[in-house]
Short mmCIF file of all heavy atoms in Angstrom, two decimals:
data_model
loop_
_atom_site.label_atom_id
_atom_site.label_comp_id
_atom_site.label_asym_id
_atom_site.label_seq_id
_atom_site.Cartn_x
_atom_site.Cartn_y
_atom_site.Cartn_z
N VAL A 218 98.11 94.24 124.18
CA VAL A 218 97.32 95.39 123.63
C VAL A 218 98.27 96.49 123.12
O VAL A 218 99.18 96.94 123.80
CB VAL A 218 96.40 96.02 124.66
CG1 VAL A 218 95.45 97.10 124.07
CG2 VAL A 218 95.54 94.88 125.28
N MET A 219 98.06 96.91 121.86
CA MET A 219 98.91 97.98 121.31
C MET A 219 98.04 99.22 121.12
O MET A 219 96.89 99.20 120.80
CB MET A 219 99.52 97.55 120.01
CG MET A 219 100.65 96.53 120.24
SD MET A 219 101.57 96.33 118.68
CE MET A 219 102.40 97.91 118.57
N GLU A 220 98.78 100.37 121.31
CA GLU A 220 98.15 101.62 121.01
C GLU A 220 99.23 102.60 120.50
O GLU A 220 100.21 102.80 121.17
CB GLU A 220 97.56 102.20 122.30
CG GLU A 220 96.79 103.49 122.09
CD GLU A 220 96.18 104.06 123.36
OE1 GLU A 220 96.83 103.79 124.43
OE2 GLU A 220 95.22 104.80 123.34
N ALA A 221 98.98 103.07 119.28
CA ALA A 221 99.91 104.09 118.70
C ALA A 221 101.38 103.64 118.80
O ALA A 221 102.25 104.41 119.15
CB ALA A 221 99.74 105.44 119.26
N GLY A 222 101.62 102.36 118.42
CA GLY A 222 103.05 101.90 118.38
C GLY A 222 103.62 101.42 119.70
O GLY A 222 104.73 100.90 119.73
N ARG A 223 102.83 101.57 120.74
CA ARG A 223 103.32 101.16 122.10
C ARG A 223 102.56 99.89 122.53
O ARG A 223 101.34 99.84 122.28
CB ARG A 223 103.13 102.25 123.12
CG ARG A 223 104.13 103.35 122.97
CD ARG A 223 103.85 104.38 124.07
NE ARG A 223 104.91 105.42 124.04
CZ ARG A 223 106.09 105.25 124.56
NH1 ARG A 223 106.37 104.08 125.17
NH2 ARG A 223 106.99 106.13 124.45
N LEU A 224 103.22 99.05 123.24
CA LEU A 224 102.55 97.94 123.89
C LEU A 224 102.05 98.49 125.28
O LEU A 224 102.88 98.82 126.14
CB LEU A 224 103.56 96.82 124.07
CG LEU A 224 102.99 95.47 124.38
CD1 LEU A 224 102.34 94.97 123.09
CD2 LEU A 224 104.05 94.47 124.77
N VAL A 225 100.81 98.51 125.50
CA VAL A 225 100.31 99.18 126.69
C VAL A 225 99.77 98.20 127.73
O VAL A 225 99.61 98.54 128.87
CB VAL A 225 99.15 100.15 126.37
CG1 VAL A 225 99.72 101.42 125.63
CG2 VAL A 225 98.03 99.57 125.59
N GLU A 226 99.53 96.97 127.22
CA GLU A 226 99.10 95.96 128.28
C GLU A 226 99.46 94.57 127.78
O GLU A 226 99.28 94.32 126.57
CB GLU A 226 97.62 96.14 128.50
CG GLU A 226 96.99 95.23 129.61
CD GLU A 226 95.59 95.65 129.94
OE1 GLU A 226 95.09 96.70 129.45
OE2 GLU A 226 94.93 94.87 130.71
N ILE A 227 99.83 93.68 128.73
CA ILE A 227 99.98 92.23 128.31
C ILE A 227 99.69 91.47 129.48
O ILE A 227 100.28 91.57 130.56
CB ILE A 227 101.34 92.05 127.68
CG1 ILE A 227 101.56 90.61 127.24
CG2 ILE A 227 102.53 92.34 128.67
CD1 ILE A 227 102.69 90.33 126.27
N ALA A 228 98.75 90.53 129.26
CA ALA A 228 98.38 89.67 130.47
C ALA A 228 97.57 88.44 129.91
O ALA A 228 97.47 88.33 128.68
CB ALA A 228 97.41 90.45 131.45
N SER A 229 97.09 87.56 130.81
CA SER A 229 96.33 86.43 130.33
C SER A 229 95.07 87.01 129.67
O SER A 229 94.55 88.03 129.93
CB SER A 229 95.91 85.53 131.47
OG SER A 229 94.91 86.15 132.25
N ALA A 230 94.53 86.07 128.72
CA ALA A 230 93.36 86.58 127.96
C ALA A 230 92.13 86.92 128.87
O ALA A 230 91.58 87.95 128.67
CB ALA A 230 92.90 85.45 127.03
N ARG A 231 92.00 86.11 129.88
CA ARG A 231 90.90 86.33 130.85
C ARG A 231 91.10 87.74 131.57
O ARG A 231 90.15 88.45 131.64
CB ARG A 231 90.80 85.21 131.89
CG ARG A 231 89.81 85.47 132.98
CD ARG A 231 90.01 84.40 134.02
NE ARG A 231 89.49 83.08 133.52
CZ ARG A 231 88.25 82.64 133.76
NH1 ARG A 231 87.41 83.44 134.46
NH2 ARG A 231 87.90 81.54 133.28
N GLN A 232 92.28 87.96 131.99
CA GLN A 232 92.57 89.19 132.73
C GLN A 232 92.32 90.39 131.85
O GLN A 232 91.73 91.38 132.27
CB GLN A 232 94.02 89.18 133.22
CG GLN A 232 94.18 89.40 134.70
CD GLN A 232 95.58 89.18 135.07
OE1 GLN A 232 96.27 88.35 134.46
NE2 GLN A 232 95.97 89.92 136.07
N VAL A 233 92.85 90.41 130.66
CA VAL A 233 92.66 91.51 129.80
C VAL A 233 91.19 91.80 129.54
O VAL A 233 90.76 92.94 129.48
CB VAL A 233 93.44 91.37 128.48
CG1 VAL A 233 93.06 92.44 127.50
CG2 VAL A 233 94.95 91.30 128.65
N ILE A 234 90.41 90.73 129.33
CA ILE A 234 89.01 90.94 128.94
C ILE A 234 88.19 91.28 130.18
O ILE A 234 87.33 92.13 130.11
CB ILE A 234 88.52 89.68 128.18
CG1 ILE A 234 89.10 89.69 126.84
CG2 ILE A 234 86.98 89.77 128.10
CD1 ILE A 234 88.89 88.42 126.06
N GLU A 235 88.44 90.62 131.29
CA GLU A 235 87.59 90.93 132.45
C GLU A 235 88.03 92.08 133.33
O GLU A 235 87.24 92.63 134.02
CB GLU A 235 87.54 89.63 133.31
CG GLU A 235 86.69 88.53 132.62
CD GLU A 235 86.74 87.22 133.33
OE1 GLU A 235 87.28 87.14 134.41
OE2 GLU A 235 86.10 86.26 132.76
N ASN A 236 89.29 92.38 133.24
CA ASN A 236 89.84 93.41 134.15
C ASN A 236 90.90 94.20 133.37
O ASN A 236 92.07 94.23 133.74
CB ASN A 236 90.42 92.71 135.42
CG ASN A 236 90.80 93.82 136.43
OD1 ASN A 236 90.33 94.96 136.28
ND2 ASN A 236 91.65 93.41 137.30
N PRO A 237 90.47 94.90 132.32
CA PRO A 237 91.48 95.64 131.49
C PRO A 237 92.13 96.73 132.20
O PRO A 237 91.41 97.43 133.10
CB PRO A 237 90.61 96.19 130.31
CG PRO A 237 89.20 96.17 130.90
CD PRO A 237 89.08 95.15 131.83
N GLN A 238 93.37 97.02 132.08
CA GLN A 238 94.08 98.06 132.87
C GLN A 238 94.28 99.31 131.95
O GLN A 238 94.36 100.35 132.50
CB GLN A 238 95.52 97.51 133.25
CG GLN A 238 95.43 96.24 134.09
CD GLN A 238 94.72 96.56 135.41
OE1 GLN A 238 95.07 97.57 136.14
NE2 GLN A 238 93.70 95.73 135.73
N SER A 239 94.34 99.16 130.61
CA SER A 239 94.61 100.27 129.77
C SER A 239 93.28 100.83 129.21
O SER A 239 92.38 100.09 128.97
CB SER A 239 95.56 99.95 128.67
OG SER A 239 94.98 98.93 127.88
N SER A 240 93.33 102.10 128.86
CA SER A 240 92.15 102.70 128.23
C SER A 240 92.03 102.12 126.82
O SER A 240 90.83 101.93 126.34
CB SER A 240 92.30 104.23 128.09
OG SER A 240 93.43 104.52 127.36
N ALA A 241 93.04 101.69 126.20
CA ALA A 241 92.95 101.14 124.79
C ALA A 241 92.28 99.84 124.87
O ALA A 241 91.36 99.47 123.99
CB ALA A 241 94.42 100.91 124.30
N ALA A 242 92.59 98.95 125.99
CA ALA A 242 91.90 97.73 126.11
C ALA A 242 90.36 97.90 126.35
O ALA A 242 89.58 97.20 125.78
CB ALA A 242 92.53 96.87 127.22
N ARG A 243 90.12 98.86 127.18
CA ARG A 243 88.73 99.10 127.53
C ARG A 243 87.96 99.56 126.28
O ARG A 243 86.83 99.13 126.05
CB ARG A 243 88.62 100.20 128.67
CG ARG A 243 88.86 99.65 130.01
CD ARG A 243 88.46 100.61 131.12
NE ARG A 243 89.40 101.75 131.15
CZ ARG A 243 90.45 101.68 131.88
NH1 ARG A 243 90.74 100.63 132.65
NH2 ARG A 243 91.29 102.75 131.94
N ALA A 244 88.60 100.40 125.42
CA ALA A 244 87.88 100.85 124.23
C ALA A 244 87.64 99.66 123.29
O ALA A 244 86.60 99.53 122.68
CB ALA A 244 88.73 101.92 123.50
N LEU A 245 88.66 98.74 123.17
CA LEU A 245 88.46 97.64 122.26
C LEU A 245 87.40 96.66 122.79
O LEU A 245 86.69 96.02 122.00
CB LEU A 245 89.76 96.86 122.20
CG LEU A 245 90.86 97.57 121.37
CD1 LEU A 245 92.20 97.03 121.60
CD2 LEU A 245 90.52 97.55 119.88
N ILE A 246 87.27 96.54 124.12
CA ILE A 246 86.24 95.70 124.75
C ILE A 246 84.88 96.33 124.44
O ILE A 246 83.85 95.61 124.09
CB ILE A 246 86.47 95.57 126.30
CG1 ILE A 246 87.69 94.62 126.43
CG2 ILE A 246 85.28 94.91 126.92
CD1 ILE A 246 88.22 94.63 127.88
N ALA A 247 84.82 97.64 124.55
CA ALA A 247 83.57 98.31 124.34
C ALA A 247 83.03 98.10 122.93
O ALA A 247 81.84 98.17 122.63
CB ALA A 247 83.67 99.80 124.68
N ALA A 248 84.03 97.86 122.00
CA ALA A 248 83.63 97.72 120.60
C ALA A 248 83.09 96.40 120.27
O ALA A 248 82.48 96.25 119.23
CB ALA A 248 84.95 97.93 119.69
N VAL A 249 83.13 95.37 121.25
CA VAL A 249 82.59 94.02 120.96
C VAL A 249 81.47 93.83 121.99
O VAL A 249 81.79 93.50 123.11
CB VAL A 249 83.67 93.01 121.12
CG1 VAL A 249 83.15 91.65 120.64
CG2 VAL A 249 84.94 93.41 120.37
N PRO A 250 80.27 93.98 121.63
CA PRO A 250 79.17 93.79 122.60
C PRO A 250 79.16 92.35 123.08
O PRO A 250 79.41 91.41 122.33
CB PRO A 250 77.89 94.15 121.74
CG PRO A 250 78.29 94.27 120.36
CD PRO A 250 79.80 94.34 120.30
N ARG A 251 78.74 92.26 124.37
CA ARG A 251 78.63 90.92 125.03
C ARG A 251 79.86 90.05 124.96
O ARG A 251 79.80 88.84 124.90
CB ARG A 251 77.46 90.20 124.34
CG ARG A 251 76.13 90.80 124.81
CD ARG A 251 74.93 89.97 124.23
NE ARG A 251 74.85 90.06 122.79
CZ ARG A 251 74.80 88.93 122.12
NH1 ARG A 251 74.90 87.70 122.61
NH2 ARG A 251 74.70 89.02 120.78
N LEU A 252 80.97 90.70 124.97
CA LEU A 252 82.27 89.97 124.81
C LEU A 252 82.49 89.07 126.01
O LEU A 252 82.83 87.86 125.91
CB LEU A 252 83.41 90.91 124.60
CG LEU A 252 84.81 90.26 124.62
CD1 LEU A 252 84.96 89.41 123.29
CD2 LEU A 252 85.90 91.19 124.72
N VAL A 253 82.25 89.72 127.20
CA VAL A 253 82.72 89.02 128.47
C VAL A 253 81.89 87.73 128.68
O VAL A 253 82.34 86.71 129.09
CB VAL A 253 82.57 89.93 129.62
CG1 VAL A 253 82.97 89.25 130.91
CG2 VAL A 253 83.46 91.20 129.38
N THR A 254 80.55 87.79 128.22
CA THR A 254 79.72 86.57 128.48
C THR A 254 79.44 85.88 127.18
O THR A 254 78.96 84.72 127.27
CB THR A 254 78.39 86.96 129.10
OG1 THR A 254 77.82 88.01 128.28
CG2 THR A 254 78.66 87.61 130.51
N GLY A 255 79.66 86.55 126.05
CA GLY A 255 79.09 85.99 124.75
C GLY A 255 79.71 84.75 124.21
O GLY A 255 79.02 83.87 123.69
N MET A 256 81.05 84.58 124.30
CA MET A 256 81.72 83.53 123.56
C MET A 256 82.27 82.43 124.57
O MET A 256 82.69 82.82 125.65
CB MET A 256 82.87 84.02 122.75
CG MET A 256 82.29 84.60 121.41
SD MET A 256 83.67 85.10 120.36
CE MET A 256 84.38 83.52 119.94
N PRO A 257 82.33 81.24 124.20
CA PRO A 257 82.89 80.23 124.99
C PRO A 257 84.41 80.46 125.07
O PRO A 257 84.98 80.85 124.10
CB PRO A 257 82.54 78.87 124.20
CG PRO A 257 82.37 79.32 122.90
CD PRO A 257 81.79 80.73 122.88
N GLU A 258 84.90 80.23 126.19
CA GLU A 258 86.35 80.49 126.35
C GLU A 258 87.10 79.34 125.91
O GLU A 258 86.64 78.20 125.80
CB GLU A 258 86.68 80.71 127.80
CG GLU A 258 88.03 81.40 128.05
CD GLU A 258 88.18 81.91 129.47
OE1 GLU A 258 87.22 82.05 130.18
OE2 GLU A 258 89.33 82.02 129.87
N ARG A 259 88.33 79.61 125.46
CA ARG A 259 89.23 78.63 124.89
C ARG A 259 89.46 77.54 126.00
O ARG A 259 89.66 77.92 127.20
CB ARG A 259 90.54 79.27 124.56
CG ARG A 259 91.60 78.21 124.06
CD ARG A 259 92.86 78.88 124.03
NE ARG A 259 93.87 77.83 123.75
CZ ARG A 259 94.54 77.71 122.63
NH1 ARG A 259 94.50 78.62 121.75
NH2 ARG A 259 95.33 76.66 122.46
N PRO A 260 89.35 76.28 125.70
CA PRO A 260 89.69 75.26 126.66
C PRO A 260 91.05 75.35 127.23
O PRO A 260 92.00 75.54 126.41
CB PRO A 260 89.45 73.87 125.90
CG PRO A 260 89.47 74.37 124.48
CD PRO A 260 89.01 75.67 124.39
N HIS A 261 91.21 75.35 128.51
CA HIS A 261 92.54 75.52 129.04
C HIS A 261 93.31 74.18 128.94
O HIS A 261 92.85 73.09 128.94
CB HIS A 261 92.36 75.77 130.59
CG HIS A 261 92.22 77.23 130.76
ND1 HIS A 261 93.26 78.17 130.61
CD2 HIS A 261 91.14 77.96 131.09
CE1 HIS A 261 92.82 79.40 130.83
NE2 HIS A 261 91.51 79.32 131.04
N HIS A 262 94.57 74.42 128.65
CA HIS A 262 95.53 73.23 128.65
C HIS A 262 96.89 73.76 129.02
O HIS A 262 97.17 74.93 128.98
CB HIS A 262 95.53 72.65 127.23
CG HIS A 262 96.02 73.55 126.20
ND1 HIS A 262 95.26 74.52 125.53
CD2 HIS A 262 97.24 73.64 125.64
CE1 HIS A 262 95.98 75.15 124.71
NE2 HIS A 262 97.16 74.69 124.77
N ASP A 263 97.74 72.83 129.34
CA ASP A 263 99.11 73.22 129.75
C ASP A 263 99.90 73.60 128.54
O ASP A 263 99.80 73.00 127.46
CB ASP A 263 99.74 72.04 130.40
CG ASP A 263 99.03 71.56 131.73
OD1 ASP A 263 98.63 72.56 132.39
OD2 ASP A 263 98.84 70.41 131.91
#
Side-chain angles (χ1 to χ4, degrees):
Chain A
V218 184
M219 286 194 67
E220 183 182 26
R223 287 181 172 281
L224 198 70
V225 291
E226 183 168 353
I227 182 163
S229 76
R231 171 188 289 268
Q232 233 172 329
V233 169
I234 287 167
E235 288 174 4
N236 188 17
Q238 301 299 307
S239 61
S240 59
R243 280 192 288 273
L245 289 163
I246 289 167
V249 189
R251 290 184 292 123
L252 176 70
V253 181
T254 53
M256 279 185 68
E258 200 168 334
R259 178 190 171 116
H261 274 286
H262 64 276
D263 296 320

